[in-house]
Amino acid sequence: MDAGRGTALPGRVAVVGGGVAGISAVKALLEAGVEVCGIERAGELGGLWRLAQDTAAYEGLRLNTSRPRTEFSDHPMPAHWPDYPSRAQLLSYVQEYAERFGVERHYRVNTELVTARRTPEGWLLRLAGPDGVSEETVAHLVVANGHNHTPRLPEPPYPGRFEGTVSHAHSYREPSAFAGRRVLVVGTGNSAMDIATELAEHAGEVLLSARRGVWVLPKRLLGRPTDQWNGALAAVLPWRLRQRVSQAMLRLTGNGRNRAALPASREGVLQDHPTLSDTVPALVAAGRIGVRAGVESLQGLRVRFTDGREDEVDHILWCTGYRATAPFLDPASVPDPARLPLYRHVFPLDEPALSFVGLMQSTGSALPVVEAQSRLLAAHLSGRLPRPARDRMLTAVTTELAAARERWGAKRPHMRLDVDRYLRQVARDLADRRDTTPPLAGRRVIVTGAAGTFGRALGARFTELGARVVGLDLVADDTGRTPVVACDLTDPESVTKGVEEAVRLLGGGVDVLVNNAGRGGPAPAELRPGGEVRAQLRLNLLAAWDVTATALPHLERARGRVVFIASRMAALPLPLAAAYGVSKRALAAYADTLRLEVGSHVGVTTVYPSMVRSPIHDSTREAGLSLDGVSRPEPIEGVVSAVVSAVTARRAPRDVATTRRGRVEMALARHVPALTGRIVRRTVAARLTAGAFDGAPLAEGLRRRAGRAGAAG
């Protein structure tokens, strides 16, 4: 990544940090085809959401941004989760995200980056891991270690000496340790409010010291999570006008500045970092939390506040934030990361082999921001998006910094960003360059019936789109681009072994299962079910059920997708092919039931093609029961595109028709079935009159009732 050329140096990229920023960066780089390794000093991924001594997490921690405003764009949170998920939920979400996209396999855990020294080749990393200390060189270093791990204490310290105990919010885990004690919580951020609320149930007395004014907002406003109002307004209004509208809404709903009897902020609601709490105002009003001014001095167990009041306390809990640090970098080159000028909050102006992800303080959730930063980084390091010239980057940074100071003052202006404005800016940057990343890059796909017409076409398309594909079919085949594992889909033992082998070939997981295997053939409904009927039910319905249930644990871990290829006949039944229509209708019913059971974690879609020219219809034609004149053929490419669209959609669609005519037919079948039945009967009668089934013994009953009993050949 030379500043003059604006291009990326070839070679491996190292990402430091295994939290949301690091995971997002590794995922984006992998999808862009960049060789990357992650470095995480803990034993698992998850960053600050892990409950461990080296994190700031506590058991009662909850998000202060709502679920839709927090989730990654390609990994929705379960719809049944609360508006503000818990720490444990977000940790599971982040770890599932890493597993789904194969990120964890590219991380070295229990490995600490001790130092990173710039060399002509890139960066010489000194690493301390399970096997001791080692050194290696990478071409590019991405700092994604977060900025909530170095506690910030009052500086300079308050005058006097406190003889009680003190701690920082970083070490807080649960409130029972403070049972019966008088605790002073210093700070008015979200952590201070949450901790004070928990302590109110256990401590003998809880005081909350507010050095400056603060906006305390409810978590829901007019029936919606509060942050969603600002998100909606951000699409159409500049921040100053947005602020006026927001403050008017708060006044009208009784949620203004003094809602919690805390000092009012001198700034507008969008010029400060508002605190979300429904409990603190009620606890203050009930006298269970006492509000105090800022600390002035300490003496023994007494704390004197700036308004002259004094209180005796046993413990001071500093909720005073964190310092942004990168201890492995040379302080001479990066003395204070929080004051580092970064183009788009990612790229240093004068160090082309260094980038940052997550070094920011956003007005909303960090997840969408680090996702956008990671895509920007991947576009650059893959060569699609060259660095702008230095003077252009400097102009952008200077303009942005001036705007940040105007809005937020001296409170970390280099790190500040408006989440909605920033996401729009990055989207414009990326839109300027054609995205050549395959839409299914890295996805792991199983296709049943992989040797058939549909299966081959699906395997080829998925592979072209960057997916790794393994097929299941009766006969193994490893000669093509899509390896096929031998599997009798109607034999449960064979299904178990086949799915296990497919998972192994895919590297230990599955993101997408396409239940494509199917069998057609003549089967009039008026005749007793014979071998053909049972064969179709076993393959079309029971086999899909068995394969899906076997693969489901992998799909659930990956938050994956299941696609069932049914048939228009599932909604628009036709005579003489009852086994096929019944099995496909049952398959659609199975998909609907599965969606109710696992839809919070696995997307379930049913695709409804019409007739495609393939060998599946041969046996029907040989029996003289071809319905070619009843159902209009469609190209296989359209069906494949419909399946791909279902797999790549942000949220799995429920039902997908493959043509415009198909959508009309399905709508008629569902909403006016009587009319649909009349249309089908009229079409079939016309085919009978034309002699289409005269040579078919299986159609004898149909001909007899139509007055053509003697027409059999």
Side-chain angles (χ1 to χ4, degrees):
M1 188 164 73
D2 183 86
R5 297 197 309 264
T7 57
L9 288 171
R12 197 151 53 98
V13 176
V15 175
V16 185
V20 293
I23 290 170
S24 178
V26 172
K27 182 249 188 187
L29 291 168
L30 287 173
E31 290 182 341
V34 176
E35 185 183 0
V36 60
C37 69
I39 301 168
E40 169 55 45
R41 64 182 179 180
E44 64 174 343
L45 303 184
L48 65 85
W49 300 102
R50 296 178 297 107
L51 195 60
Q53 290 300 314
D54 63 336
T55 72
Y58 47 93
E59 191 57 62
L61 178 62
R62 302 192 77 85
L63 272 71
N64 54 36
T65 55
S66 65
R67 175 168 43 84
R69 297 271 290 170
T70 301
E71 62 193 10
F72 289 116
S73 65
D74 53 1
H75 191 65
M77 290 184 176
H80 68 275
W81 277 11
D83 287 335
Y84 296 91
S86 68
R87 176 206 65 80
Q89 286 174 318
L90 193 70
L91 177 62
S92 69
Y93 171 80
V94 170
Q95 292 178 338
E96 287 172 1
Y97 179 80
E99 181 178 0
R100 173 183 174 184
F101 294 105
V103 169
E104 56 188 9
R105 298 193 301 275
H106 295 268
Y107 261 93
R108 301 180 196 173
V109 296
N110 294 313
T111 301
E112 182 177 2
L113 175 59
V114 181
T115 59
R117 183 168 60 85
R118 187 70 162 92
T119 69
E121 293 75 29
W123 292 90
L124 178 62
L125 308 182
R126 185 174 176 83
L127 303 168
D131 299 325
V133 177
S134 62
E135 290 186 346
E136 61 184 84
T137 298
V138 296
H140 193 98
L141 181 64
V142 180
V143 178
N145 65 325
H147 52 86
N148 288 320
H149 45 75
T150 304
R152 181 174 59 196
L153 296 172
E155 191 176 322
Y158 291 111
R161 179 181 177 186
F162 182 64
E163 295 180 358
T165 54
V166 298
S167 64
H168 189 273
H170 188 270
S171 62
Y172 176 82
R173 293 295 176 267
E174 47 87 24
S176 61
F178 299 90
R181 306 182 72 188
R182 296 166 298 180
V183 182
L184 172 66
V185 178
V186 180
T188 53
N190 286 289
S191 293
M193 297 293 185
D194 289 346
I195 291 173
T197 298
E198 289 192 351
L199 291 176
E201 298 292 329
H202 295 80
E205 183 181 15
V206 179
L207 303 177
L208 187 64
S209 170
R211 180 172 54 87
R212 58 183 179 82
V214 63
W215 286 88
V216 180
L217 307 183
K219 289 194 170 184
R220 295 183 67 84
L221 188 65
L222 298 176
R224 295 177 61 180
T226 302
D227 65 344
Q228 293 182 22
W229 285 107
N230 190 52
L233 294 172
V236 293
L237 300 177
W239 74 265
R240 289 187 184 278
L241 187 52
R242 244 191 300 154
Q243 179 165 270
R244 293 180 183 177
V245 173
S246 298
Q247 292 178 183
M249 292 174 65
L250 291 169
R251 285 195 300 271
L252 290 172
T253 56
N255 293 289
R257 293 172 184 249
N258 297 313
R259 179 172 178 256
L262 289 165
S265 173
R266 296 179 180 178
E267 309 293 343
V269 68
L270 299 187
Q271 293 174 276
D272 204 348
H273 190 74
T275 298
L276 270 69
S277 179
D278 292 322
T279 54
V280 166
L283 291 171
V284 170
R288 295 174 61 190
I289 294 179
V291 178
R292 298 292 185 266
V295 175
E296 182 178 276
S297 62
L298 309 170
Q299 184 175 358
L301 293 177
R302 299 193 67 79
V303 179
R304 181 177 178 84
F305 300 98
T306 55
D307 61 358
R309 184 167 182 168
E310 293 187 3
D311 284 279
E312 190 169 291
V313 298
D314 303 311
H315 187 91
I316 298 177
L317 204 162
W318 303 108
C319 296
T320 45
Y322 296 84
R323 299 187 185 282
T325 59
F328 42 83
L329 293 177
D330 182 0
S333 58
V334 184
D336 182 2
R339 298 180 60 82
L340 189 63
L342 297 173
Y343 177 69
R344 297 289 188 258
H345 294 268
V346 175
F347 304 114
L349 301 183
D350 298 309
E351 180 44 84
L354 179 66
S355 299
F356 291 80
V357 173
L359 185 61
M360 49 78 195
Q361 193 161 340
S362 165
T363 58
S365 170
L367 273 68
V369 175
V370 299
E371 180 182 35
Q373 291 180 332
S374 299
R375 289 177 174 171
L376 196 63
L377 173 68
H380 170 67
L381 292 182
S382 63
R384 292 191 297 108
L385 189 65
R387 266 168 74 106
R390 188 187 187 282
D391 58 347
R392 181 181 163 193
M393 291 194 295
L394 178 60
T395 298
V397 169
T398 303
T399 302
E400 186 178 87
L401 187 58
R405 285 182 171 134
E406 181 183 7
R407 178 169 172 180
W408 291 291
K411 294 172 287 189
R412 287 186 164 184
H414 290 79
M415 294 178 64
R416 293 279 188 169
L417 59 83
D418 184 304
V419 60
D420 298 285
R421 184 179 182 279
Y422 182 80
L423 294 180
R424 288 197 300 272
Q425 178 63 66
V426 173
R428 287 194 295 269
D429 291 341
L430 294 174
D432 289 341
R433 298 283 170 170
R434 181 173 172 268
D435 189 354
T436 58
T437 304
L440 290 175
R443 304 288 283 278
R444 300 159 295 180
V445 182
I446 292 178
V447 177
T448 67
T453 304
F454 274 133
R456 290 194 303 273
L458 285 166
R461 179 71 70 84
F462 283 141
T463 301
E464 290 171 2
L465 296 176
R468 289 177 289 163
V469 186
V470 173
L472 298 179
D473 216 314
L474 274 173
V475 179
D477 182 4
D478 59 2
T479 61
R481 296 179 67 185
T482 301
V484 178
V485 174
C487 179
D488 181 355
L489 298 174
T490 64
D491 176 11
E493 184 177 350
S494 182
V495 166
T496 299
K497 293 180 179 178
V499 171
E500 288 177 351
E501 177 62 10
V503 169
R504 186 190 69 79
L505 293 173
L506 290 170
V510 182
D511 299 299
V512 179
L513 168 64
V514 180
N515 283 293
N516 160 73
R519 174 177 177 139
E526 64 181 289
L527 302 182
R528 296 184 67 180
E532 179 59 38
V533 172
R534 290 180 172 82
Q536 291 187 47
L537 290 172
R538 280 197 300 269
L539 184 59
N540 297 348
L541 172 62
L542 298 180
W545 189 329
D546 197 3
V547 172
T548 301
T550 305
L552 203 56
H554 301 285
L555 291 164
E556 185 171 342
R557 281 194 294 272
R559 293 292 174 90
R561 300 284 176 90
V562 181
V563 177
F564 297 95
I565 298 184
S567 168
R568 206 79 47 78
M569 288 174 62
L572 195 73
L574 298 176
L576 306 176
Y580 190 75
V582 167
S583 63
K584 292 298 187 179
R585 180 174 287 195
L587 182 66
Y590 169 68
D592 291 341
T593 305
L594 182 70
R595 187 179 299 106
L596 294 173
E597 295 179 10
V598 305
S600 60
H601 286 67
V602 179
V604 181
T605 300
T606 306
V607 176
Y608 297 86
S610 182
M611 192 185 86
V612 176
R613 302 190 191 281
S614 73
I616 197 172
H617 303 289
D618 290 350
S619 60
T620 305
R621 291 192 182 93
E622 290 169 2
L625 300 180
S626 173
L627 295 171
D628 290 348
V630 177
S631 185
R632 181 181 298 178
E634 62 179 286
I636 189 171
E637 293 79 10
V639 181
V640 172
S641 295
V643 175
V644 169
S645 176
V647 169
T648 56
R650 183 170 182 270
R651 293 187 183 273
R654 183 181 188 277
D655 298 306
V656 176
T658 54
T659 64
R660 183 179 300 174
R661 177 188 176 95
R663 288 192 290 273
V664 173
E665 289 177 350
M666 289 180 64
L668 288 173
R670 282 180 177 158
H671 301 299
V672 281
L675 173 61
T676 306
R678 286 199 298 272
I679 294 172
V680 173
R681 283 195 297 271
R682 197 171 295 172
T683 304
V684 172
R687 298 290 294 155
L688 280 166
T689 301
F693 309 128
D694 284 357
L698 289 176
E700 180 181 350
L702 195 64
R703 292 196 311 274
R704 174 172 49 78
R705 285 183 289 274
R708 295 181 58 82

